[in-house]
Amino acid sequence: MNSRLRGLIAAAYDRFIKYALKFGVVGIIGLGVDVAVFNMLRLGIFGTDHALSDPIGAKTTAVIAATIVTWFGNRYWTFRAHRRKNYLMELLEFSTVAAGGLGISLLCLWISHYVLGFTSLLADNIATNVVGLFLATTFRFLMYRYWVFGHHREKGLSAQNREVEAAEAAIYEDEEFVLDDLDRPTARTRSDR
């Protein structure tokens, strides 16, 4: 194998494949949480006299639980080098993407069931758990990889804030604040320059 091909494979692994593999592992764990919580609620493990025991309440609760589990897995393992200091904004963006993925799965189910007229349980499962799962997972991976945990956020929001502070200092000619190699702000006096 020539060195250029080895370099391309290594680059593909470093930039995409390793994230996809980790994302898959986290996703399988999330799917397990989703299915377990849904079935426990539907079977009445926690009682049957509440809104969480009906199908919609159970699925909503299961998706929320799975989203929290997958956020932790993706934040601290899959995309750990790209997590941000502002974890609440990150969780909000992550949840927005997860809701978009849920919408894709539900859209596939709706089209199959109501537009195309495939009303069997098997057709519903194929629509939402095969076609919908594939499309939604692809959507979520790309959005998490390039938006929520994108390389532009590698140093987190704190690095962006430091760059903004440095730019403001340059604009207002603040002699006390100089950014050292765009990594950390340092205070310098005129004699240090």
Side-chain angles (χ1 to χ4, degrees):
M1 193 181 317
N2 87 28
S3 62
R4 184 173 180 186
L5 181 58
R6 265 187 264 140
L8 287 173
I9 291 171
Y13 179 79
D14 286 341
R15 293 187 179 136
F16 189 79
I17 296 170
K18 75 177 179 181
Y19 294 109
L21 293 172
K22 289 179 179 182
F23 181 79
V25 170
V26 171
I28 288 170
I29 293 168
L31 178 63
V33 169
D34 186 342
V35 170
V37 169
F38 177 76
N39 284 300
M40 284 191 297
L41 290 170
R42 290 295 293 139
L43 293 172
I45 301 279
F46 303 107
T48 57
D49 296 336
H50 52 77
L52 301 181
S53 64
D54 72 26
I56 301 299
K59 187 60 178 175
T60 302
T61 304
V63 167
I64 291 169
T67 298
I68 292 169
V69 168
T70 57
W71 176 66
F72 275 104
N74 283 309
R75 175 177 170 77
Y76 292 104
W77 186 47
T78 308
F79 303 112
R80 71 175 171 247
H82 308 290
R83 64 180 183 236
R84 295 183 274 167
K85 187 175 183 178
N86 187 345
Y87 62 89
L88 293 176
M89 182 59 76
E90 183 181 273
L91 178 59
L92 177 66
E93 290 175 358
F94 189 91
S95 299
T96 300
V97 172
L102 176 61
I104 290 170
S105 291
L106 292 175
L107 180 64
C108 291
L109 176 61
W110 183 81
I111 289 171
S112 171
H113 195 92
Y114 296 106
V115 175
L116 300 176
F118 298 121
T119 58
S120 71
L121 182 59
L122 177 62
D124 286 351
N125 274 287
I126 290 171
T128 195
N129 293 323
V130 177
V131 177
L133 182 65
F134 173 77
L135 294 174
T137 299
T138 301
F139 167 78
R140 284 191 299 263
F141 174 72
L142 293 172
M143 292 301 292
Y144 293 153
R145 173 71 177 91
Y146 296 106
W147 180 49
V148 178
F149 299 106
H151 283 303
H152 63 285
R153 297 188 172 157
E154 184 172 348
K155 295 179 183 177
L157 289 180
S158 58
Q160 291 175 357
N161 290 342
R162 285 192 303 267
E163 290 172 6
V164 168
E165 289 172 6
E168 288 173 349
I171 290 171
Y172 298 112
E173 298 178 2
D174 186 355
E175 295 176 8
E176 297 298 317
F177 183 89
V178 176
L179 193 64
D180 183 22
D181 293 325
L182 292 178
D183 284 330
R184 60 185 183 279
T186 57
R188 293 184 181 174
T189 62
R190 285 184 186 195
S191 62
D192 291 339
R193 292 184 186 180

